[in-house]
Amino acid sequence: QQQWHQGKLRSKHYEIFPEREAYRDGSEAEQHSVANPLDDISLLFYARTIPLTVGMTIEIPRHFKPASNPVVLKVVARETIEAAGREWNTIVVQPIIKTSTMFADGDSRVWLSDDSVRVIVQLNAKASVGSITMKLKSYTPAADR
Protein backbone atom coordinates (compact mmCIF):
# COMPACT_ATOMS: atom_id res chain seq x y z
CA GLN A 1 0.00 0.00 0.00
CA GLN A 2 1.21 3.47 -0.83
CA GLN A 3 -0.98 6.31 0.39
CA TRP A 4 -0.68 10.00 1.07
CA HIS A 5 -1.75 10.38 4.68
CA GLN A 6 -1.82 13.80 6.34
CA GLY A 7 0.59 15.21 3.74
CA LYS A 8 3.10 12.36 3.96
CA LEU A 9 3.65 9.31 1.80
CA ARG A 10 2.88 6.24 3.84
CA SER A 11 4.06 2.87 2.57
CA LYS A 12 3.00 -0.46 4.00
CA HIS A 13 4.12 -3.87 2.82
CA TYR A 14 2.31 -6.95 4.05
CA GLU A 15 3.03 -10.58 3.31
CA ILE A 16 0.30 -13.06 4.13
CA PHE A 17 1.04 -16.76 4.65
CA PRO A 18 -2.35 -18.56 4.64
CA GLU A 19 -0.87 -22.04 4.97
CA ARG A 20 0.57 -21.22 8.38
CA GLU A 21 -1.98 -18.59 9.47
CA ALA A 22 0.63 -15.84 9.71
CA TYR A 23 1.46 -12.45 8.22
CA ARG A 24 4.39 -10.05 8.25
CA ASP A 25 4.15 -6.26 8.39
CA GLY A 26 7.22 -4.99 6.52
CA SER A 27 10.40 -6.20 8.19
CA GLU A 28 8.71 -7.02 11.51
CA ALA A 29 8.56 -10.58 12.81
CA GLU A 30 5.74 -12.82 11.64
CA GLN A 31 2.50 -12.45 13.55
CA HIS A 32 -0.43 -14.81 14.02
CA SER A 33 -3.24 -14.48 11.48
CA VAL A 34 -6.50 -16.38 10.95
CA ALA A 35 -7.68 -19.34 8.89
CA ASN A 36 -8.27 -18.41 5.23
CA PRO A 37 -7.07 -14.81 5.65
CA LEU A 38 -8.11 -11.94 3.36
CA ASP A 39 -6.81 -8.39 3.01
CA ASP A 40 -9.03 -5.31 2.62
CA ILE A 41 -9.56 -5.62 -1.14
CA SER A 42 -9.84 -9.44 -1.12
CA LEU A 43 -12.70 -9.03 1.34
CA LEU A 44 -14.59 -7.01 -1.27
CA PHE A 45 -14.08 -9.75 -3.82
CA TYR A 46 -15.24 -12.30 -1.25
CA ALA A 47 -18.35 -10.19 -0.59
CA ARG A 48 -19.25 -10.64 -4.26
CA THR A 49 -19.89 -14.33 -3.57
CA ILE A 50 -22.35 -13.81 -0.70
CA PRO A 51 -26.12 -13.45 -1.28
CA LEU A 52 -26.87 -9.86 -0.28
CA THR A 53 -30.19 -8.36 0.78
CA VAL A 54 -30.79 -4.73 1.75
CA GLY A 55 -30.91 -4.41 5.53
CA MET A 56 -28.68 -7.37 6.31
CA THR A 57 -25.41 -7.14 8.25
CA ILE A 58 -22.72 -9.76 7.74
CA GLU A 59 -19.72 -10.37 9.99
CA ILE A 60 -16.69 -11.93 8.33
CA PRO A 61 -13.90 -13.11 10.70
CA ARG A 62 -11.27 -13.49 7.96
CA HIS A 63 -9.22 -10.27 7.94
CA PHE A 64 -5.55 -11.21 8.08
CA LYS A 65 -5.05 -8.93 11.10
CA PRO A 66 -6.97 -10.64 13.93
CA ALA A 67 -7.60 -7.27 15.66
CA SER A 68 -9.65 -6.21 12.61
CA ASN A 69 -12.16 -9.00 13.02
CA PRO A 70 -14.91 -9.32 12.50
CA VAL A 71 -15.14 -7.24 9.34
CA VAL A 72 -18.70 -5.94 9.10
CA LEU A 73 -20.56 -5.57 5.82
CA LYS A 74 -23.83 -3.67 5.96
CA VAL A 75 -26.06 -3.89 2.90
CA VAL A 76 -27.55 -0.41 2.85
CA ALA A 77 -29.38 0.17 -0.44
CA ARG A 78 -30.07 -0.60 -4.06
CA GLU A 79 -29.20 2.18 -6.50
CA THR A 80 -28.90 2.71 -10.22
CA ILE A 81 -25.65 4.44 -11.15
CA GLU A 82 -23.80 5.23 -14.35
CA ALA A 83 -20.31 3.87 -14.99
CA ALA A 84 -18.35 2.44 -17.91
CA GLY A 85 -20.78 3.98 -20.40
CA ARG A 86 -23.95 2.36 -19.08
CA GLU A 87 -26.42 2.28 -16.21
CA TRP A 88 -25.98 -0.39 -13.54
CA ASN A 89 -28.45 -1.69 -11.01
CA THR A 90 -26.33 -2.05 -7.89
CA ILE A 91 -26.33 -3.23 -4.32
CA VAL A 92 -24.62 -0.73 -1.99
CA VAL A 93 -22.45 -2.23 0.74
CA GLN A 94 -20.85 -0.41 3.67
CA PRO A 95 -17.62 -2.22 4.71
CA ILE A 96 -16.22 -1.60 8.20
CA ILE A 97 -12.69 -2.83 8.88
CA LYS A 98 -11.38 -1.61 12.25
CA THR A 99 -7.70 -1.26 11.32
CA SER A 100 -8.18 0.00 7.75
CA THR A 101 -7.35 3.53 6.65
CA MET A 102 -10.10 3.50 3.99
CA PHE A 103 -12.80 1.40 5.64
CA ALA A 104 -12.54 2.01 9.42
CA ASP A 105 -15.08 4.77 9.96
CA GLY A 106 -18.13 3.24 8.31
CA ASP A 107 -18.50 6.09 5.83
CA SER A 108 -17.20 4.10 2.86
CA ARG A 109 -19.49 2.55 0.27
CA VAL A 110 -19.04 -0.08 -2.44
CA TRP A 111 -21.51 -0.47 -5.31
CA LEU A 112 -21.72 -4.05 -6.63
CA SER A 113 -23.69 -4.87 -9.77
CA ASP A 114 -27.00 -6.46 -8.83
CA ASP A 115 -26.55 -9.56 -10.96
CA SER A 116 -24.71 -12.89 -10.82
CA VAL A 117 -21.34 -11.31 -11.71
CA ARG A 118 -21.33 -8.69 -8.92
CA VAL A 119 -18.91 -6.33 -10.66
CA ILE A 120 -17.37 -3.70 -8.38
CA VAL A 121 -18.86 -0.68 -10.15
CA GLN A 122 -17.90 2.10 -7.75
CA LEU A 123 -16.09 2.61 -4.46
CA ASN A 124 -16.20 5.69 -2.25
CA ALA A 125 -13.90 6.04 0.76
CA LYS A 126 -12.85 8.78 3.14
CA ALA A 127 -9.30 10.08 2.94
CA SER A 128 -7.37 12.61 5.01
CA VAL A 129 -7.91 15.20 2.25
CA GLY A 130 -11.61 14.52 1.70
CA SER A 131 -12.89 11.47 -0.09
CA ILE A 132 -11.94 9.23 -2.98
CA THR A 133 -14.39 7.92 -5.55
CA MET A 134 -13.29 5.16 -7.91
CA LYS A 135 -15.64 4.30 -10.77
CA LEU A 136 -15.49 1.44 -13.23
CA LYS A 137 -14.08 2.89 -16.43
CA SER A 138 -14.72 0.02 -18.85
CA TYR A 139 -16.21 -3.44 -18.74
CA THR A 140 -16.24 -6.40 -21.10
CA PRO A 141 -18.36 -9.38 -20.04
CA ALA A 142 -16.44 -12.67 -19.82
CA ALA A 143 -18.41 -14.25 -22.67
CA ASP A 144 -17.27 -11.46 -25.03
CA ARG A 145 -13.54 -11.71 -24.31
Side-chain angles (χ1 to χ4, degrees):
Q1 297 177 359
Q2 290 192 325
Q3 304 170 344
W4 283 100
H5 184 70
Q6 297 178 346
K8 297 179 184 175
L9 181 62
R10 185 174 103 170
S11 295
K12 288 290 214 170
H13 178 84
Y14 297 104
E15 290 182 89
I16 302 171
F17 308 102
E19 67 284 354
R20 57 183 188 264
E21 296 183 11
Y23 75 97
R24 181 178 303 136
D25 181 351
S27 59
E28 294 180 13
E30 276 190 23
Q31 299 175 54
H32 175 70
S33 188
V34 298
N36 303 310
L38 299 170
D39 65 13
D40 296 15
I41 301 302
S42 299
L43 279 156
L44 297 180
F45 279 84
Y46 176 71
R48 296 171 59 209
T49 69
I50 301 169
L52 302 171
T53 305
V54 173
M56 73 187 302
T57 298
I58 303 163
E59 292 188 355
I60 304 170
R62 292 187 51 191
H63 195 274
F64 75 99
K65 292 180 180 178
S68 294
N69 289 311
V71 170
V72 176
L73 295 179
K74 294 182 179 182
V75 185
V76 296
R78 288 183 186 278
E79 292 181 8
T80 301
I81 64 170
E82 190 173 319
R86 66 176 257 202
E87 284 195 350
W88 298 80
N89 292 324
T90 65
I91 299 171
V92 185
V93 177
Q94 175 186 12
I96 303 169
I97 305 173
K98 296 173 200 166
T99 60
S100 171
T101 303
M102 289 178 53
F103 302 119
D105 59 12
D107 287 336
S108 299
R109 299 286 185 275
V110 179
W111 286 256
L112 302 172
S113 63
D114 191 7
D115 56 21
S116 62
V117 183
R118 293 276 172 83
V119 175
I120 298 174
V121 178
Q122 181 172 297
L123 186 146
N124 183 272
K126 294 282 183 175
S128 59
V129 295
S131 65
I132 299 167
T133 299
M134 293 178 261
K135 248 185 188 183
L136 184 66
K137 189 172 179 177
S138 66
Y139 176 73
T140 304
D144 297 343
R145 288 184 185 164

